[in-house]
Amino acid sequence: MIFDATFWVAISFFIFLGLLIYFKIPKRIQNILDESIKNIKNQIENAEQLKDEAKNLLNIQEKKLSKSKKEISKMVEDANLSIEKNILKTNAEFHSLMENKKKEADQRIVQMKNQAIKDIKNVSITIALQSIEKLLKKSVDKSKLDKIFKASIEETKLALKKKSS
């Protein structure tokens, strides 16, 4: 019997398969593949857990950010209200101060006016008295003055009698 090359190839193929089975190579390959599959599944699960954790952290940070934005806007509103109140208060104080200064100035003007009128009256009286004195010295002699003096004393006595009765 002559064995051709295909026979020997078939025999060596079956011997090769037998050796693979004898040394449990397919099982080892399967174990290696199963282990790789488990590693890949674990990595996927870890990645999903990390993804979930990242989403949770993102949500927490977004909540903190929105809370911070609300707090900042409230702080800005409070600051604006405080500034407006301060402006109104300062404005009112300024107007009050100016009103008081205006009243003081008006009072000073009235006082100065009254003082000026008194000064003018005093100067007028002094000038009038000086003029009358000069006139009397030049135009009236002593006998006429005595007569005028006595007449004014008599008029004063009569006026006092009328007033007392």
Side-chain angles (χ1 to χ4, degrees):
M1 253 221 32
I2 299 182
F3 297 108
D4 65 345
T6 54
F7 173 76
W8 289 113
V9 169
I11 295 270
S12 50
F13 178 72
F14 286 118
I15 291 173
F16 176 72
L17 284 178
L19 285 174
L20 285 177
I21 291 172
Y22 177 76
F23 289 114
K24 299 180 182 178
I25 299 293
K27 188 148 187 140
R28 286 184 185 173
I29 291 174
Q30 185 178 0
N31 287 341
I32 290 172
L33 290 176
D34 287 343
E35 200 173 300
S36 294
I37 289 171
K38 284 181 187 177
N39 285 338
I40 291 171
K41 283 182 182 180
N42 287 338
Q43 288 176 355
I44 289 173
E45 288 175 6
N46 286 338
E48 287 176 357
Q49 288 176 354
L50 290 174
K51 179 183 171 186
D52 291 339
E53 288 177 16
K55 282 183 182 179
N56 289 337
L57 288 175
L58 178 65
N59 289 336
I60 290 170
Q61 296 303 322
E62 285 177 347
K63 287 177 185 177
K64 286 182 181 179
L65 181 64
S66 66
K67 185 178 177 182
S68 296
K69 285 181 181 178
K70 288 178 185 176
E71 288 178 8
I72 289 171
S73 64
K74 184 170 177 18
M75 289 169 72
V76 167
E77 288 177 18
D78 290 345
N80 285 337
L81 289 174
S82 175
I83 289 170
E84 288 177 11
K85 286 179 183 178
N86 285 339
I87 289 172
L88 292 175
K89 181 181 174 186
T90 305
N91 195 10
E93 289 174 357
F94 174 75
H95 285 296
S96 174
L97 181 66
M98 288 298 114
E99 193 65 33
N100 289 339
K101 291 214 182 237
K102 182 181 175 187
K103 286 179 184 177
E104 288 175 9
D106 288 343
Q107 289 174 353
R108 284 186 201 148
I109 290 171
V110 168
Q111 288 175 351
M112 290 172 73
K113 181 180 175 184
N114 290 337
Q115 185 63 39
I117 290 172
K118 285 180 185 177
D119 290 344
I120 291 172
K121 284 181 181 179
N122 289 338
V123 169
S124 300
I125 290 172
T126 305
I127 292 172
L129 288 175
Q130 288 174 354
S131 299
I132 290 172
E133 188 179 323
K134 286 180 184 178
L135 274 174
L136 287 176
K137 283 182 182 178
K138 289 182 182 179
S139 64
V140 180
D141 59 355
K142 194 165 187 161
S143 60
K144 287 182 182 177
L145 280 176
D146 286 336
K147 287 180 188 176
I148 292 173
F149 180 70
K150 287 179 185 177
S152 62
I153 288 176
E154 292 298 323
E155 285 178 20
T156 307
K157 285 181 184 178
L158 285 173
L160 286 174
K161 284 181 185 177
K162 284 182 186 177
K163 206 173 195 182
S164 63
S165 36

